[in-house]
Amino acid sequence: MSDFGNLIGLFGLSIILIKIDHSLPIPKHIAIIMDGNGRWAKKRFLPRSSGHRQGAKTVKEIVKAAKSFNIPVLTLYAFSTENWKRPPDEVSFLFDLLFNFIEKSFQEFIDGGVRLRVLGDISKFPPRLINEIERTVKESAANKDLQLNIALNYGARQEIILAFKKMAAAGITDPTQEDVSKFLYTHDQPDPDLLIRTSGERRISNFLLWQIAYSELYITDVLWPDFTKADLETAIAHFQKRQRRFGGL
Ligand code: IPE
Ligand code: IPE
Ligand code: MG
């Protein structure tokens, strides 16, 4: 967006940016609820679609930033099972945006070592989008630098139900916590150490309910389209100051 737009964004904020301490551990998995695209647009008297378009630019920046900070796994919540309730034209705009994002931006990520995984059931998405996603997942399968999970038509409750159905099919009648974890979309990945939500809402919105049992939460008022590499660094630095006890002393 324009400098003018950024100026307005800045007036709404009073954040202090802090740096990563390289002597301390960084999160192995960061999950982000990318929220606030609509409000970003509304503040600028623009259609919601402009907010989503700007939000897609933020996705690009944040993937690159996560890679530069050596974060092994990044999960982005892009479309929830509840987002179908939005007007059909907004839903199809989001699909088009996703298609363009994967088609235009992803090659650069693949070349840079990013591996794509989808969390969620994309079978009801437009066929050409499904093809594009599946092609990219395959093409990036051997990459090892950053595991990028995009949550698409994702709902944590649906994921947990699916896991129980898969366990039943596998004959597991007395499941352990490890069994459940093994049947989730994130089966071979560490649970998120850090969960970030932008735009100030203090809720989880059906995201990774099982996996975030002990995640550190970081909620910022910054709207997703305004979220920068410096904001991500600040979130990581806050995480580094937290004392995680996991129920102990
Ligand atoms: C997040 O921004 C993007 C999606 C959920 C797809 P929103 O569209 O939810 O933006 P707000 O919450 O209306 O500001
Ligand atoms: C959560 O944002 C879903 C995504 C970011 C994809 P929403 O904007 O849909 O969440 P609610 O409706 O405010 O809970
Ligand atoms: Mg929202």
Side-chain angles (χ1 to χ4, degrees):
M1 240 329 113
S2 61
D3 289 346
F4 176 66
N6 288 328
L7 211 62
I8 297 175
L10 280 173
F11 282 154
L13 307 171
S14 57
I15 44 161
I16 298 162
L17 300 172
I18 55 173
K19 293 270 177 201
I20 291 174
D21 179 341
H22 292 284
S23 68
L24 293 172
I26 51 159
K28 290 191 179 66
H29 182 171
I30 298 179
I32 308 182
I33 303 174
M34 310 185 288
D35 198 14
N37 294 352
R39 277 161 283 173
W40 183 94
K42 197 170 178 207
K43 265 170 80 178
R44 289 163 176 77
F45 307 102
L46 294 169
R48 292 179 56 84
S49 55
S50 304
H52 292 314
R53 211 178 276 121
Q54 192 65 23
K57 290 186 186 161
T58 303
V59 169
K60 249 185 111 168
E61 287 316 301
I62 294 308
V63 172
K64 281 191 219 157
K67 207 170 155 272
S68 75
F69 296 141
N70 295 317
I71 304 298
V73 186
L74 175 69
T75 299
L76 301 177
Y77 202 6
F79 192 86
S80 74
T81 44
E82 288 72 33
N83 287 146
W84 294 102
K85 291 180 198 159
R86 296 189 180 198
D89 60 338
E90 177 163 343
V91 171
S92 56
F93 182 85
L94 287 168
F95 291 158
D96 288 345
L97 194 65
L98 183 64
F99 182 87
N100 288 327
F101 174 78
I102 294 182
E103 195 192 36
K104 298 207 171 71
S105 306
F106 227 88
Q107 196 55 48
E108 185 189 331
F109 291 157
I110 295 177
D111 297 342
V114 176
R115 178 177 185 177
L116 179 67
R117 176 180 302 186
V118 171
L119 314 187
D121 172 14
I122 59 167
S123 63
K124 300 281 180 328
F125 280 15
R128 78 171 191 143
L129 177 57
I130 298 177
N131 289 340
E132 193 62 20
I133 293 170
E134 285 178 348
R135 187 187 63 74
T136 311
V137 168
K138 271 195 208 116
E139 219 177 291
S140 65
N143 285 353
K144 294 200 161 49
D145 284 1
L146 171 71
Q147 170 73 64
L148 175 64
N149 297 328
I150 304 190
L152 293 171
N153 190 25
Y154 174 85
R157 288 183 166 186
Q158 289 84 341
E159 179 186 33
I160 293 167
I161 291 170
L162 188 64
F164 276 85
K165 286 182 179 165
K166 287 179 183 166
M167 284 189 291
I172 301 170
T173 52
D174 185 17
T176 61
Q177 292 190 29
E178 288 71 29
D179 288 328
V180 178
S181 296
K182 242 191 290 175
F183 285 91
L184 300 174
Y185 295 117
T186 48
H187 54 89
D188 52 354
Q189 301 173 350
D191 287 337
D193 296 304
L194 174 61
L195 172 66
I196 299 173
R197 182 163 189 152
T198 59
S199 90
E201 306 295 356
R202 280 147 172 82
R203 57 177 168 262
I204 301 297
S205 304
N206 202 13
F207 192 41
L208 302 176
L209 294 177
W210 179 273
Q211 297 91 328
I212 61 169
Y214 267 103
S215 304
E216 294 296 324
L217 308 182
Y218 180 86
I219 293 167
T220 171
D221 287 335
V222 177
L223 303 173
W224 178 251
D226 289 325
F227 195 77
T228 61
K229 180 179 182 179
D231 293 312
L232 180 65
E233 175 156 17
T234 299
I236 297 169
H238 276 285
F239 165 84
Q240 291 183 315
K241 292 181 194 300
R242 303 273 177 92
Q243 218 200 350
R244 303 181 83 188
R245 286 188 286 276
F246 301 100
L249 299 179

